[in-house]
Structure formats: C-alpha cells, structure tokens
Amino acid sequence: MNDPVEQLTTGQWEHRIKSVSKEFFNSCRFLRNTLPGGVPYLFSPYEYSCRGDRLLRRLKYDSSFASLRLWAFLFSEKDRLFLAKEKGSKIVALMKDLGQTAVISYAFPGQLSFYADELWWAPCFAEETYLLDEAAKLGATEELCYVRAALGAMVTGDYFPAPDLCIAGVGGCCDDFSAVMQLIEGLGFDVHWWEMVSRRTKPDFSTVESYDNTPFGGVEYQSIAVDFLKEQFQGIVKRMEQLTGTNCTDDMLRASVQMFNRLRSMVSRLRELVYTADRPPLPGLEMYLAEFVTIHTCSEPVECFNVIQGLLDVAEERLKTGKSPLKSESPYRVYWMYPSTDASLITLLEDMGGCIAGTDYFINHSFLPLREDTDPLTAIAENCMDDRLVCSPSERIHRIVEDVKKYRAEGILMSGIFGASHCAWDASALHDIIQDELGIPVLVFDVPYSPGRYNQQVVSRMQSFIELIKTKRASDEATSEVSAAVSETDEEQILDYFRNSMSVEVDAVRTMKRQGKGVVGIYCEYTPRDLILAANAYPVCLCGASRRTIPAAETVLPANLCPLIKSSFGYILTGRCPFFMVSDLIVAETTCDGKKKMYELIAGRKPQHILELTQKVNEEAAWQHWFTEVKLLKEKLEETFGLEITDTRLREAIEEMNRERALLHRAFYLGAENPPVVTGVELARLRYRVSGLSEHHRMLTAFIEMANGRKQSQKYPLGNNRPRIIVSGCPVSEGTLKVIELVEDAGGVVVAQETCSGLKPLLPVEGYMNADPLEAIARKHFQIPCSCMTPNTGRLSLLEKLAEDFQASAVIDLVWQACHTYSIESFEVGNYVRNDLGLLYLKIETDYSNSDRERLLIRIQTMLEMI
Amino acid sequence: MHPLSTRAIELYSEELSHLNSLRETGLRTGAVVCRAFPPAVLAGLGIRPVRIPFDVSGGDKDTVSNLVRQDVCPLVRELLGEIQSDCSDFVVGMHTCDMTRRLFQESYRYTRTTVHQIQLPATKGDASLRFFTSQVDRICRDLTGNGLSSGYISSAAEDWYSSTLETAALLRSKAHTIPPVALQYMLHLFRIMDPSALKDKVIELLGSAEPYEPEFTLLLTGSPVAPGDNTVAETVEAMGGALIPVNCTGFQMFPDQTEKPEDFSVATLCRIYFESGKCVRCRPNHETFRYVAEELSSTGAGGLIVKSLKFCDLWFTEKVRMKKAFQVPVLVLDTAFSTGEVERTAVRVESFVQSLERS
C-alpha cells in the first residue's frame, strides 16, 4: 500500500477523494434491501459539512478510504431514515439502552431502528443551538444534558422522520433521557416504556437472594434482574409485532443475536488492535465513530459490516507495516471516559501528542457477545447487566481500572456532559479510586458548548494534563534505572512518611504522655520551641489546616475571619485536634487580632499562657518587652512542669533545635537545585507538627539522601524546564497546599516558600554558648519577618535572598482571606518583586475551600505563560 | 407566624428528640426515603418506620461537599449527611431517580449504616409490581435473617396502616383551616411518630388555637419539602392563605385506599402503595397531572405552586406542561436549601399571590 497514512483536513480530503476508485465508490451504498441497487453515499466531509454539520470543517480525518466510508456512513443516516420511511419502512426510535433493544428490533423485517439519543451530539456538530432552543420551549432546558436535542429534532423533523414507535428505557439508567422521552410522549408520539434494572452485588447482610455472574463481563448481579428484564423484552417484542405485523419467532431473534455478535466481535477486535498498539493504527475520532456505529448498525446492518471490516483491514495492514496516522512516535496514552459532546477535543488531544488508549463511552457492554446457547431474550437481559450505567459509579471505575491496566494508559480524561446527573457522582468515585489504585493523572471537566472554536480553558487544562503525563513518564523512566541510589519503594516510604506524619506524631505524643513528659501546644513560629524542650516538654503545633472544622467554628466566630483561625478554633470546638486534648499548656502568642481574641474563647479549656509579641522590630523598648515576655514564658513552663530551666538545659535544647532547623533548612534548599530534584508539594509536606522527635530527624536525613540520589541519577520529578516559583505570605500545610499543587499542576515548580511553613523561621539560634542562652533564643525569634511586624523590611531582604538562591522566575503571594497584615503588605511586596527583583508577581487571596481551584488554576497558568 | 405553626414546629423538634431518646433505650428504627415503601411493613416486623428525618441543616455540609459535587440535588446531599450521622439502624435505600440511585449505590463508601437497596419501578403494571414486591419481601427476609426482626406480624402492620389513614383523614378534613406552616409540620410528624400517637397530638394541637380562616387557597406539588424548608408555607401564611401540599411529603404520602384491604400481608401493602404512587417520575406520568387536576378541583384552590428542587430533572422538566395543563395560574419554583434562596422565593410567591388577587 502506497497510500499516505496521516490525518487530513476537510480541504485535503477534497483532493484525496478524487483518487477514490469508481469500484470503491460504487461499493458504498445503503438500503440495498429496500431500493434496487441501493443508494450511493460516499461524499467528502466537506460536502456533509455544507449540509449543516459545520464542526466537520475543524476536525482532522484519517486518510484511509475506509475511514472516509465510516464518516459518510454515519452522516448519511438521516438520508436512509427519510428514504426508508418514504418507501414504507417503519421507523423505530430507540432510547437509552445503547445496544440491547436494537437486537430485538432488528429481528423484525420492514423497519429501521435508530438511536434518537445520539442526537445529543447534533448541536455540537452543527455548531448551532436551534434543536436545544426548540427543546427549551417545551421545558427541556439546561438542567438536562444535550440529549434534549432529540426532543428538538422530534419537533422540527429535521434529523429523522417522525418515528412510528419509540422504545424508551427507564429506571436504572438516566433521568435525562427519561424526562426528555416523557415530553416526547406528551407531544403525541407513541412510546413504549420498559424498565431497566439497577445491578446490585451481594451485600454482607444478604440472606436469601440469589446472585449470578454475567457470562462474558463476569459481573455479579441479582438473579431476579434477568427474569424481570426478560418480561420487559417480551413487552418490546409484542409492540414490534403489532407495529410490523410480523409474528416474532425464536429463530428471528437468534438470527439477530448472531448478526450482532458478528458485528460486536469485529469491533472488539478493532478496539484491541488499536488500543493496545504503541502507535494506534487509527485515530481516536474514527474509533469513536466506529464504537457508536456498532451498537445500532447506524440503521443499516448490511453496510455496517462493510464499514467496520474496512477499518479492520486498515488497522491490521498498518500494524504490520508499523504505520500510524499520528505524528508522535510515542504518544501519551489517555483513557477517555464519557463520549465527548465536542468531537474536536479528540483531535486536540492527538495534536498535543496524545492518543486514545481505551475508552468507556458507556457502551462497552455492547462489545461483549450475547450468549447463543440460551434463549435470545435471556442473552440480551444478561448483557444488560454488563451495562456500566446500571451499576454503581465505584464499580464502573474499578472496571475502568482494569481497562487502564490492559491498555497501558498513562492518564484518564473524563469529559463530563453538562446536566448529566451521573457525572456528579462519577467524578468523586473516579478521583478516590484512581488515586488509590493507579496514581496516574486524571482530568475531569464538563465539556462546554463552544461552537466554532476551542474553549481556551479546556485547551489549557488538557495541555497541563498532557504535561503531567509527560512528566510522570519521564520520572517513571528515570526511576526504572536499577542503578538509582534510592529505590522507588524507598522513595515512596519516605514520601508516605511525611504525607502521613500526623499519625506517627499522635502515637508519639501519647507515648510521651505515658512516659510523663510534658506537651505544650503552640500555634506560631514566634513561640520558642527551644525553651519548651528545655522544660522537658515537647512543643506541638496544634491543628488548623482543615476546611472541615470551619463550619463548626463559624457558629461562634464571624465568617469573615481568616480560615487558619477558624479552622484552629473549629478543631478545638469539635474536639478533633488530638494534640490539644493532651496538651498541658497552650502558648498563645499575640501576632494578630483574630488569634488574640480566639484565644480568649478557648481559655477555659486548657491552661493557657499569652505570649505578647511586640511588633516594632527595630526599637529597643519593643525588644526589651519581648525579652521580658520570653522570660515570663520560661517561668510559666517551670511552674507547669515543676523544674528549673537552667542555662545548661537551654543550651542543650538550642543545640537540638538548631540541628532540626539545619536539617529542615538543608531539605528546603534542595529546591535550589536546577533542575529541581524535589517538588514543592514534597517540600511542603516536610513541615511536621512535633519538634524533637528523632524519627523525624532520621526521615529528614533519608529525604535529603533520596533527593541527592535523584540528582545523581538525573531523575527529575517534574522534568527540567519548569518556571521556578517562590510562594510567599501565609503558611500552608497538609490539607491547605492547593496553591502549591495548582502551580505544579499548571506546569511550574514551587522551589521555595517564604512563609512560616517554609524557610522564614529556620535561622539558627546563634551566640548562645558564651552569652545568655535565653536572650539568644529571644533574639532569634524576634527576627522572624512576619507581616505582623512593622516595618517588615526583613521579609523583602529574605525574598531577595531566596530569589537569588533559588533562581526564581516569579513570586506568588499567598494571602488567606481576611489576613489583613499580609493582604496590606502585598502592595509593597508586589512593587518590590516587580521593580527591584524584576520578577513576575501574583497575589492570590483565597481560603481553605476548593471552590476556587479552577479560577486559581487559570490565573496561575496565565502567569506561567508569561514567563 | 400563627401560634399553631410555632407550636407545630416545636412539637416536631420535641418528637425528634423523643425518637432519638427512644433509640438510645433500644427502639429499632428503619429509615425509608420514598413514600412508596409501605411503613406498615416495617411496623409489622416490629421495627419503627421513619422517613429519613433530614432537614435543611442536617448533616455535615462540608463533608458532603467533599464527597459529591455541587450539582447533586440538595435533597440527596441532605440525605447523604443524614445517613452519615447514624440516623437509623438501617436504611431502605430506594432508587427513585439517578441521584438517589447513585447515593445508595455508593453509600458503602461514606457510611457504615446498612443500606438495603431497592429499585422503585417507574413503570406500572403487573410485572413491575411483582418486581417491587419481591424486593420488599427480600428486605423483610434479610431483616429477619439478620435478627433485626423476629418475624412479620400482620396485626401490627394493620394497626400502623389504619392509624396512618385515620390520622391523615383527620388532617385532610381540616387542611383548609390549618395555617400552612402548621400543616406542613403536622405532615412532617408522620415521618417520625407513631400515627396513633400523632392523631392525639393533632387533635390536641387543633383544639389549642382558634380556627384559621384563610383568604385564599393554593395547592402545592413538586419535589419533597424538608423540615426547615418553610419559605413557601411561611409566605403564604403571612399573606393569609391556605396551602395544601399534595406532593409526596404532603397528602400524596398516603395511599388512596379508604376501604379496608383484604389482608395486611406484605404483598397487599406493596400493591396499595405502589399503585397509589402519582410521582412525576412514573412513566408515563399522566396520573400525576390527573391527580393534581382532581385536587385543584376538590380543594377549590385558586393557584398551583410547583416547587422543584435544583437539579431535579424529573420535576423541573415538566414546568412547561404543568403551566399549560391546568385551569388555574401556576408558579414553578426551582429551589435549593440555601438561605440565599429565601428572599427570592418569598418575593416570587408574594408576586404570584398578588397576581391572583388582581385577576
């Protein structure tokens, strides 16, 4: 074969179609059984686009003639239906089941069946909303998915002739279809309803019900379901008999089952060939059409075989010769969930270097065979149980996990459908299960209606998604090298340790308490941990990083308070902070008004010591007062724990804390490596809550070794060419890392945090050996450049140093909502970053919720594009 | 608010606390979601039937937000919150729409409460009834097999059924003279109270206040109304009207049958409740329209309010047909449980009532 193997535009097909042989052109005919010789239908995509489907002009097509035949076959369905009706055939509109009732209806002669549901893609292909507008007039508005276009088509009669019968599935499927069909019935169309069954698996408490497994899908179902479905199908058979005037025999149904089995096996084979190949022999769009055409033969079983056989031949030939229409030599493999209402997104994915490696368009059950050794209606009923719409979202996702493994997909893209009620549940299950079982990137979005162009938000998100896959692939390839200094398992253990360090700490704190050691709860970096350690107690940073405790807090605190304070208070109010419960003393510093007043509300729950922080950082009197406050804290600790905090104890504690600070400092400075050997998220997770734990020190050392190992083996977790970002401002920790996560999702890397949870408080205590160690501790902490200080020039100096050390490209100033000091200081910080450091600057004011993630992602992506 | 309404709200709260205290002393409860499940069946099994006592502030909203997206209907979000909070010894998770189906299919991920799933057919007819009955029967046998019940006693079912109908008939006969909020809460009490005890409470309540003399009457249909979702009733009450709810948390909650059934077996009760369903989800749903028309006629209501919940495709899709189907003005409301909706809903109801007065 010397034919080109590539993707063509509509314009290019205009030239290429001239080389179609007359023989091939004549072989492409439909309605051979109805009209003598049949009707030729092979036209170019451009010709079909001139009839109204304008999206065709924006797509790219496989260059094979078999693919051209597929496109023409699909877009000529309308012609078939109108012609057949004119010639006396009955027209049957099927709705919802996607592959089962067609097996019954095609057992009958003298009729053509089509899936009216598939009109959902008509508004996108036509780039025109008139079908939706017509549906809206009758009540089917935007709360329904695009299937409402079928209602518009029933009214206008533009896409298919008035059906003689509609067969509509209801029950364990989809309310959108059912609601639309009810409106269609209200218009006077003859509708036969049948009930689909939700599939259940056997629960632990089941005592009486019997369960079976589907013969080919292997899924468990309640046995009663198939009995009931058979009755439903008998009802359909009766209605078809009435419509066509033909008595249905078992042989007629068997013949239909055999016909569909042949077609199903062909498409299954095609899917296997294409989705398992390293370079797919056919593009995703042609596969998308082929899969849908199969479930109902596109109103023409005879020609449907020819179309699919042609594609199979092309795929086999290309696999033999190693050819693919995709340009990429090693495309990024993406599993696609839900049929995309905008078909051009599949082309977009391929243009970005991706390919489709497996699909779940909710029709996978229709690629499984039907049993031929039982009565046909039982076989169809069993097949219904394999429908992924009738089972729980979790089960569907588990089956997708199997697919993903089989097709070696590197990411999952779920193109949700606006208004489709099941999408809301699938997204949640998808994230949870995929993260647990596969750990591959997942992209979920509802496809917006954007006639004539790509939606830029979708483009950005797909780019980031492909970028993530690319990064993960690079990382996976690097880690597969056996010479790596740290094995992948070790890496995972180290990263898991910090991800879950809280559970280690809860156990450790309880053990400390049992051993008679003290626990002091703190909230702020101004609280000297050295002093607490010297009192033979452990400083524990109390919880305040969950959005879940905020609603409880808002029953007392005003809503317009910073989330950190609300979350902290909510933890205490709901008794969820395990450290607060066991603390002997709470040290409450007065860094801001909100915290100060919040401390009053928790004062009665635990012994509390207010540590007043003076804020004129450059004034002697302020310093003297602060030093006095530190002395008072020392006395309080001595009183609480019944011991004297000697200079010797202080020096030992300083040495221990200095070691810890130095370890953290070294770890955070790993971000200075270029290319980065650690991610910003990994670094952010290092900030644990309990100081002085030897296990933390051991794991920090392991983390540093792991990163050095990555450097030696050149395993860069985020690749080597990302914009380098400093996050400045309010502190973050596990549970509130969204800004850092978004930066890295968007293609950047957070190299340093100029925050209390980052490098800001990690200066060592100096000059303590030969001078007053308490004064040394007080001085070290007084120098932390928090926005509560005035003037806070230290923050600008630190930013300058970090920008240089970390070769930063931009600074993101993170301000928790209602944190007035950081918010106001942003003005000066922004000017300094832009004008003095010459870097990009972005201020983000947000809270702990995830509701603004998408908006933030767009802002961050925009900034990264400017770098 | 009318004193009777205030008292009815208080009573609901008291009875809810009472129910919880009874649970602490060993009362077993089984929570159902949809009116189609015959409560008398659970009573016959020696289990206190309750309709999941969700309200508009129930559950941990923040947790629910983490589990499902915002475009899940508010009722289902509340149900999820309630199920998580151990609202009952078990739940009969009836699939009535996509959302409830997904909720109960996925409930094992969110809660340890046992959920007995059951699919309520949307189609009527013998096969569908048999399918429904067999599922209820399966639940009864599982409950017995798991030791939650010692067997079905038909006289207990009969007591519950008869009391329910008696109390409902009493309430129905007085509905025009009960302030809307009070009526709504008296109907909510059926969720959580023994109907025979409720009958006494209703008599006591009605005797404690002067009869309410409404200036106009409206009919309410649509999605279920939750305790706390009072805006429509409060607004109509403030404007001096009566509001007769005929949705599934209103009088459609009760079966039609007024004559004594031949027996009180599980199959008979299933048939009565299944056949008397007039939900808009039924396919076809002609019966919903017929029932509302009949109620409009029998109550003499001057207007109809169709109150749909956000993302309830089944009700909201019928908005155009509902407006065309009846001889009275129709107001279609698309509502959520958020406080932000209150003013908008109240203003729309006020405008509707004022337009009725003008016409």
Side-chain angles (χ1 to χ4, degrees):
Chain A
M1 274 198 191
N2 295 321
D3 287 338
V5 180
E6 58 189 329
Q7 285 178 290
L8 304 177
T9 62
T10 44
Q12 288 167 324
W13 254 118
E14 283 303 286
H15 294 290
R16 175 144 171 76
I17 199 169
K18 291 171 191 162
S19 51
V20 173
S21 68
K22 197 171 176 182
E23 187 189 356
F24 185 76
F25 186 87
N26 281 330
S27 71
C28 300
R29 289 170 181 267
F30 61 61
L31 294 184
R32 293 169 212 256
N33 295 338
T34 311
L35 295 161
V39 180
Y41 66 86
L42 193 70
F43 297 103
S44 69
Y46 178 76
E47 283 173 277
Y48 282 109
S49 79
C50 292
R51 293 166 50 169
D53 290 313
R54 287 183 287 184
L55 176 69
L56 292 172
R57 295 183 200 173
R58 292 200 289 128
L59 302 179
K60 286 185 186 166
Y61 306 85
D62 179 64
S63 55
S64 67
F65 294 148
S67 294
L68 178 69
R69 185 180 204 164
L70 169 72
W71 282 98
F73 181 58
L74 181 76
F75 279 87
S76 59
E77 183 177 28
K78 176 177 167 178
D79 307 357
R80 278 193 286 289
L81 291 169
F82 277 104
L83 264 174
K85 174 96 178 178
E86 200 178 301
K87 296 294 172 188
S89 288
K90 300 292 183 189
I91 301 298
V92 180
L94 309 176
M95 292 282 280
K96 186 53 220 103
D97 57 282
L98 302 177
Q100 279 68 55
T101 51
V103 183
I104 299 173
S105 67
Y106 274 104
F108 289 85
Q111 59 79 40
L112 251 64
S113 300
F114 73 104
Y115 271 94
D117 320 23
E118 289 188 8
L119 261 290
W120 58 262
W121 64 20
C124 284
F125 269 103
E127 299 188 334
E128 163 63 58
T129 62
Y130 83 102
L131 291 183
L132 302 179
D133 297 340
E134 288 299 324
K137 287 178 196 167
L138 297 167
T141 42
E142 288 165 353
E143 73 281 358
L144 297 177
C145 76
Y146 291 129
V147 73
R148 64 190 194 272
L151 175 62
M154 289 276 184
V155 176
T156 60
D158 280 355
Y159 276 78
F160 47 79
D164 298 290
L165 175 65
C166 302
I167 297 176
V170 64
C173 47
C174 172
D175 291 341
D176 298 60
F177 288 96
S178 157
V180 163
M181 219 47 224
Q182 181 59 69
L183 295 183
I184 288 171
E185 188 186 43
L187 294 173
F189 289 94
D190 188 1
V191 177
H192 175 82
W193 301 96
W194 67 282
E195 193 89 30
M196 295 179 76
V197 180
S198 303
R199 182 168 68 79
R200 286 183 282 109
T201 51
K202 188 173 184 174
D204 296 340
F205 53 79
S206 174
T207 57
V208 290
E209 190 162 41
S210 67
Y211 289 80
D212 286 306
N213 284 78
T214 56
F216 299 102
V219 297
E220 191 180 49
Y221 66 91
Q222 68 277 29
S223 309
I224 185 182
V226 164
D227 299 334
F228 178 64
L229 282 167
K230 265 181 69 180
E231 285 190 87
Q232 298 296 301
F233 293 148
Q234 280 158 359
I236 294 174
V237 169
K238 270 188 194 161
R239 285 307 307 272
M240 288 298 297
E241 285 178 337
Q242 288 166 4
L243 179 75
T244 59
T246 307
N247 282 333
C248 184
T249 63
D250 228 27
D251 286 344
M252 287 162 68
L253 285 168
R254 281 185 200 286
S256 186
V257 164
Q258 285 163 4
M259 179 187 81
F260 273 92
N261 270 350
R262 198 179 137 212
L263 196 54
R264 287 174 176 212
S265 74
M266 288 165 74
V267 172
S268 295
R269 166 95 180 125
L270 187 64
R271 280 168 50 91
E272 289 305 300
L273 289 177
V274 175
Y275 296 149
T276 56
D278 290 336
R279 292 184 73 216
L282 285 170
L285 211 45
E286 276 71 16
M287 288 301 294
Y288 183 45
L289 265 55
E291 290 190 20
F292 270 96
V293 158
T294 307
I295 63 170
H296 58 109
T297 75
C298 215
S299 317
E300 173 72 70
V302 177
E303 181 59 11
C304 191
F305 282 107
N306 299 331
V307 169
I308 302 298
Q309 185 59 53
L311 293 172
L312 262 174
D313 293 343
V314 168
E316 282 170 350
E317 177 63 28
R318 286 179 179 175
L319 283 171
K320 269 187 220 159
T321 54
K323 289 180 180 171
S324 168
L326 304 190
K327 286 179 183 159
S328 173
E329 284 300 316
S330 180
Y332 301 107
R333 305 176 66 79
V334 173
Y335 189 92
W336 200 295
M337 270 179 77
Y338 280 103
S340 175
T341 47
D342 185 347
S344 67
L345 295 183
I346 296 176
T347 301
L348 178 66
L349 177 85
E350 289 168 344
D351 284 347
M352 288 174 174
C355 73
I356 306 272
T359 58
D360 179 350
Y361 297 142
F362 264 137
I363 54 175
N364 293 30
H365 57 299
S366 294
F367 309 133
L368 294 170
L370 301 156
R371 269 170 76 191
E372 295 184 14
D373 58 354
T374 186
D375 77 276
L377 297 187
T378 299
I380 301 168
E382 287 169 346
N383 187 231
C384 267
M385 289 290 94
D386 281 313
D387 185 342
R388 294 183 183 185
L389 191 57
V390 303
C391 65
S392 72
S394 296
E395 277 195 71
R396 180 185 177 211
I397 304 300
H398 283 301
R399 292 168 82 185
I400 285 173
V401 166
E402 295 305 310
D403 287 354
V404 166
K405 287 177 184 167
K406 178 179 168 187
Y407 297 126
R408 296 171 288 120
E410 299 166 283
I412 299 177
L413 190 154
M414 176 177 142
S415 56
I417 302 165
F418 269 116
S421 38
H422 35 80
C423 294
W425 291 88
D426 287 350
S428 158
L430 179 71
H431 274 296
D432 292 354
I433 296 166
I434 298 297
Q435 287 307 319
D436 282 355
E437 298 199 17
L438 294 172
I440 60 174
V442 173
L443 174 64
V444 178
F445 60 88
D446 282 356
V447 179
Y449 185 62
S450 57
R453 62 186 171 80
Y454 285 126
N455 177 290
Q456 279 311 306
Q457 192 179 341
V458 169
V459 173
S460 303
R461 297 194 62 188
M462 284 179 63
Q463 278 170 340
S464 303
F465 174 64
I466 291 291
E467 194 61 37
L468 272 177
I469 295 175
K470 199 186 291 184
T471 306
K472 188 163 188 309
R473 186 190 280 187
S475 167
D476 290 348
E477 283 167 2
T479 50
S480 68
E481 291 173 19
V482 282
S483 60
V486 179
S487 74
E488 193 178 357
T489 315
D490 291 341
E491 275 201 13
E492 272 310 304
Q493 281 171 353
I494 294 165
L495 297 175
D496 268 355
Y497 176 85
F498 288 107
R499 204 177 291 134
N500 306 311
S501 57
M502 185 159 170
S503 58
V504 175
E505 290 171 327
V506 170
D507 290 345
V509 167
R510 286 180 183 150
T511 306
M512 288 169 199
K513 290 293 284 185
R514 280 198 296 274
Q515 291 169 347
K517 296 201 169 148
V519 173
V520 176
I522 66 172
Y523 279 107
C524 176
E525 290 297 329
Y526 281 107
T527 307
R529 291 181 172 89
D530 321 57
L531 194 50
I532 295 167
L533 281 178
N536 198 26
Y538 282 85
V540 180
C541 197
L542 300 177
C543 302
S546 171
R547 60 184 179 277
R548 296 184 186 193
T549 57
I550 289 179
E554 285 179 350
T555 60
V556 177
L557 296 176
N560 60 341
L561 198 60
C562 98
L564 198 156
I565 299 174
K566 287 191 289 190
S567 176
S568 305
F569 182 66
Y571 263 109
I572 293 167
L573 211 58
T574 56
R576 289 187 193 176
C577 176
F579 306 121
F580 184 83
M581 315 298 278
V582 297
S583 291
D584 300 292
L585 176 72
I586 306 298
V587 179
E589 84 313 323
T590 59
T591 43
C592 73
D593 292 347
K595 278 163 108 179
K596 194 166 61 189
K597 301 309 283 184
M598 185 270 277
Y599 294 144
E600 290 176 13
L601 301 181
I602 60 170
R605 295 168 188 255
K606 283 280 174 187
Q608 189 181 75
H609 178 81
I610 300 293
L611 179 65
E612 188 183 0
L613 176 66
T614 52
Q615 295 171 349
K616 293 200 280 186
V617 68
N618 297 327
E619 292 198 8
E620 181 60 20
W623 151 249
Q624 286 300 340
H625 185 74
W626 166 247
F627 189 25
T628 306
E629 282 290 310
V630 174
K631 285 177 186 166
L632 288 172
L633 174 61
K634 174 172 170 278
E635 287 170 16
K636 180 70 182 178
L637 289 165
E638 287 174 333
E639 177 197 323
T640 304
F641 297 109
L643 50 69
E644 186 188 350
I645 300 177
T646 61
D647 283 359
T648 308
R649 280 180 173 275
L650 278 174
R651 289 194 178 99
E652 284 170 2
I654 290 169
E655 279 177 16
E656 186 172 348
M657 277 309 300
N658 271 357
R659 271 197 301 277
E660 184 167 314
R661 282 186 282 257
L663 265 178
L664 277 168
H665 194 269
R666 269 182 67 197
F668 282 130
Y669 255 75
L670 291 167
E673 294 289 342
N674 195 355
V677 291
V678 286
T679 71
V681 171
E682 287 171 349
L683 287 176
R685 287 190 170 131
L686 296 183
R687 285 317 298 264
Y688 41 78
R689 288 142 291 265
V690 182
S691 288
L693 285 187
S694 57
E695 185 60 9
H696 282 346
H697 301 172
R698 192 179 74 76
M699 293 307 286
L700 268 177
T701 307
F703 179 86
I704 293 165
E705 284 172 3
M706 175 200 82
N708 288 332
R710 285 178 177 176
K711 185 181 175 185
Q712 281 167 18
S713 54
Q714 297 186 329
K715 291 185 300 180
Y716 305 117
L718 295 178
N720 57 7
N721 209 13
R722 288 190 164 217
R724 300 167 65 83
I725 311 298
I726 290 175
V727 169
S728 175
C730 295
V732 298
S733 62
E734 185 67 48
T736 60
L737 300 181
K738 71 174 172 185
V739 169
I740 297 177
E741 289 166 352
L742 289 172
V743 168
E744 299 190 339
D745 284 354
V749 55
V750 174
V751 289
Q753 280 187 57
E754 188 281 306
T755 65
C756 285
S757 51
L759 282 153
K760 194 173 331 214
L762 294 183
L763 288 175
V765 174
E766 290 173 339
Y768 59 93
M769 289 308 290
N770 302 316
D772 178 3
L774 190 63
E775 183 179 341
I777 289 171
R779 282 203 185 280
K780 179 257 179 246
H781 287 87
F782 200 49
Q783 287 162 11
I784 296 173
C786 175
S787 62
C788 66
M789 291 295 184
T790 182
N792 188 26
T793 50
R795 185 179 175 199
L796 304 183
S797 309
L798 181 57
L799 270 173
E800 183 184 4
K801 178 172 168 48
L802 296 183
E804 188 181 335
D805 291 354
F806 287 80
Q807 304 159 61
S809 333
V811 172
I812 289 180
D813 196 357
L814 169 63
V815 179
W816 293 130
Q817 270 171 16
C819 177
H820 301 318
T821 53
Y822 271 111
S823 187
I824 294 167
E825 202 167 275
S826 293
F827 180 75
E828 276 199 44
V829 171
N831 283 341
Y832 182 77
V833 170
R834 288 192 200 97
N835 302 335
D836 293 54
L837 302 183
L839 302 179
L840 286 176
Y841 171 84
L842 176 68
K843 176 183 176 182
I844 288 177
E845 189 165 0
T846 182
D847 60 12
Y848 284 4
S849 79
N850 281 323
S851 58
D852 59 352
R853 277 186 92 104
E854 295 308 314
R855 193 168 55 82
L856 293 180
L857 183 63
I858 298 295
R859 291 182 65 203
I860 291 166
Q861 281 170 337
T862 308
M863 186 192 76
L864 295 182
E865 282 167 16
M866 291 164 67
I867 295 171
Chain B
M1 197 181 287
H2 194 281
L4 202 54
S5 297
T6 311
R7 180 61 197 126
I9 293 172
E10 286 168 0
L11 182 61
Y12 181 81
S13 174
E14 289 162 15
E15 289 299 329
L16 196 55
S17 304
H18 182 56
L19 177 69
N20 289 332
S21 58
L22 286 177
R23 285 191 67 205
E24 283 170 17
T25 60
L27 178 76
R28 280 182 182 154
T29 60
V32 300
V33 178
C34 175
R35 54 79 59 202
F37 191 94
V41 166
L42 289 181
L45 290 165
I47 295 164
R48 166 70 77 87
V50 294
R51 273 181 92 178
I52 293 184
F54 65 88
D55 60 45
V56 298
S57 58
D60 181 345
K61 284 187 163 45
D62 200 46
T63 307
V64 172
S65 294
N66 287 330
L67 297 176
V68 291
R69 283 191 344 198
Q70 291 296 328
D71 52 346
V72 167
C73 106
L75 172 69
V76 169
R77 294 168 67 84
E78 294 301 333
L79 288 173
L80 175 55
E82 287 295 335
I83 293 172
Q84 281 188 310
S85 64
D86 183 34
C87 65
S88 182
D89 293 299
F90 65 89
V91 170
V92 176
M94 194 170 305
H95 302 182
T96 55
C97 64
D98 276 356
M99 295 286 179
T100 50
R101 181 162 66 95
R102 293 311 197 196
L103 167 71
F104 295 122
Q105 283 177 329
E106 289 292 280
S107 56
Y108 77 95
R109 293 174 59 216
Y110 309 134
T111 172
R112 274 173 290 185
T113 304
T114 302
V115 176
H116 296 263
Q117 294 191 54
I118 176 170
Q119 179 178 352
L120 177 63
T123 50
K124 295 289 177 73
D126 291 344
S128 297
L129 172 59
R130 278 200 307 277
F131 182 55
F132 176 67
T133 306
S134 71
Q135 294 177 84
V136 176
D137 186 57
R138 179 249 304 164
I139 291 174
C140 294
R141 292 205 274 164
D142 277 345
L143 291 172
T144 310
N146 288 315
L148 280 164
S149 167
S150 49
Y152 186 74
I153 300 167
S154 124
S155 59
E158 180 178 358
D159 288 348
W160 192 278
Y161 178 85
S162 305
S163 305
T164 300
L165 258 61
E166 271 177 41
T167 311
L170 169 69
L171 210 52
R172 184 64 204 248
S173 67
K174 306 280 185 188
H176 281 87
T177 58
I178 302 174
V181 176
L183 180 58
Q184 189 169 297
Y185 273 83
M186 288 179 193
L187 287 162
H188 288 326
L189 283 165
F190 279 92
R191 295 166 173 279
I192 53 173
M193 277 187 81
D194 182 324
S196 60
L198 175 58
K199 187 177 173 190
D200 296 339
K201 289 281 183 189
V202 168
I203 293 168
E204 185 188 321
L205 266 177
L206 295 179
S208 69
E210 291 294 312
Y212 180 69
E213 293 178 0
E215 294 165 19
F216 60 90
T217 299
L218 299 178
L219 206 66
L220 176 77
T221 190
S223 310
V225 173
D229 185 11
N230 302 343
T231 308
V232 173
E234 277 177 5
T235 310
V236 173
E237 185 170 314
M239 298 184 81
L243 182 71
I244 315 242
V246 294
N247 56 356
C248 64
T249 48
F251 286 103
Q252 214 223 114
M253 189 180 353
F254 312 109
D256 297 330
Q257 190 156 336
T258 49
E259 287 177 18
K260 193 174 175 183
E262 63 274 27
D263 61 53
F264 289 91
S265 65
V266 171
T268 301
L269 290 169
C270 284
R271 180 181 53 73
I272 291 170
Y273 274 81
F274 183 72
E275 289 179 349
S276 59
K278 301 170 194 73
C279 182
V280 79
R281 67 180 289 281
C282 295
R283 293 290 176 263
N285 62 13
H286 311 147
E287 187 64 10
T288 310
F289 287 81
R290 189 203 58 73
Y291 171 68
V292 172
E294 197 177 281
E295 289 291 335
L296 281 168
S297 166
S298 67
T299 58
L304 172 68
I305 297 178
V306 181
K307 183 177 176 297
S308 171
L309 284 173
K310 273 200 193 315
F311 310 114
C312 177
D313 298 337
L314 299 169
W315 271 105
F316 199 57
T317 308
E318 296 291 351
K319 54 189 174 285
V320 173
R321 294 210 302 161
M322 281 274 166
K323 283 180 179 172
K324 287 182 181 166
F326 308 112
Q327 303 298 315
V328 298
V330 177
L331 171 68
V332 178
L333 296 170
D334 186 24
T335 60
F337 290 163
S338 69
T339 48
E341 292 279 315
V342 169
E343 286 305 315
R344 193 175 67 88
T345 305
V347 168
R348 292 194 64 201
V349 173
E350 280 167 4
S351 307
F352 180 64
V353 172
Q354 283 163 6
S355 71
L356 291 179
E357 286 167 357
R358 280 196 295 274
S359 64

